Amino acid sequence: MANIEPVSSAGAILALGPALIAVGGIVVNNWLGSRGQRERANQDALREAAGAYVSAVDVFLDHARELRAVLESGAAGRERREKQHVAYLEAWTQLRARLPVVRISGSESIAWAADQLRYTVGNYADALDSWYARATESDSAQAPSRLAHTSEAVVNAVEEFERAVRRIVGFTASSSSAPWGRAVRRLTRRQARSA
């Protein structure tokens, strides 16, 4: 029988030490890498959701502007007015459908800014809806005085939403790579012309 000498615990630790350090390093590296990938994926999801939300706001405001033009003309005809109102309502439905995705994709500050944007656009829509309701009764109905103010408030709310998203995803205020940047610039120019 061979005589086996007992290995001291210190010797075992010294022998296994480099292996344990290597395994620990791999685990930490994978954890940090996975964490970084999750953060990037979350930021990408937020960028996509925010871009879709602001694009939905832009589409809604395009339809609102077209409805406003029909109402301003007064004599556009009931059929054209109703057709434009249906498109406007469909765009509103799409805008509202985008809100929950943004709310769950971002932080509380983004959810708050998204809610404020929806609320502000809703105020604009309420003003336009009241004008539409009066216009269905009389072709000479005038635009409510609050329409211009709410239109300006929408532009400010879009910009605040953008800032909130940029703070989280790391865009600077002058970044042109934000997916919604072009939509907001178009929105701002259009709102300035129509006010």
Side-chain angles (χ1 to χ4, degrees), residues 34-188:
S34 296
R35 183 175 167 209
Q37 288 173 345
R38 280 192 306 272
E39 286 177 11
R40 280 190 299 281
N42 288 343
Q43 287 181 345
D44 289 345
L46 176 58
R47 279 186 199 107
E48 187 176 320
Y53 186 56
V54 172
S55 292
V57 169
D58 191 37
V59 167
F60 171 76
L61 292 173
D62 283 344
H63 286 288
R65 205 170 359 273
E66 291 170 17
L67 178 60
R68 186 176 176 175
V70 167
L71 294 173
E72 284 172 346
S73 71
R78 181 181 190 101
E79 185 177 316
R80 182 171 173 220
R81 184 173 51 224
E82 288 176 3
K83 181 180 177 185
Q84 189 53 49
H85 190 249
V86 167
Y88 158 86
L89 292 175
E90 288 172 358
W92 174 252
T93 300
Q94 291 300 312
L95 183 153
R96 292 199 53 200
R98 303 274 189 234
L99 179 61
V101 177
V102 172
R103 294 187 87 239
I104 63 172
S105 295
S107 66
E108 285 184 34
S109 64
I110 290 175
W112 183 85
D115 286 338
Q116 287 302 114
L117 177 53
R118 206 250 6 118
Y119 175 77
T120 305
V121 172
N123 283 339
Y124 178 74
D126 287 345
L128 194 54
D129 289 343
S130 70
W131 186 13
Y132 175 80
R134 288 193 320 275
T136 58
E137 297 170 5
S138 167
D139 286 338
S140 62
Q142 297 296 310
S145 59
R146 66 185 174 132
L147 198 61
H149 170 72
T150 57
S151 176
E152 186 177 310
V154 167
V155 172
N156 294 334
V158 168
E159 290 171 352
E160 181 56 38
F161 177 71
E162 261 195 321
R163 280 190 293 276
V165 172
R166 285 179 173 152
R167 279 191 296 269
I168 300 299
V169 299
F171 284 124
T172 63
S174 62
S175 176
S176 61
S177 59
W180 56 84
R182 186 177 63 224
V184 172
R185 285 188 295 279
R186 278 186 24 225
L187 171 65
T188 305

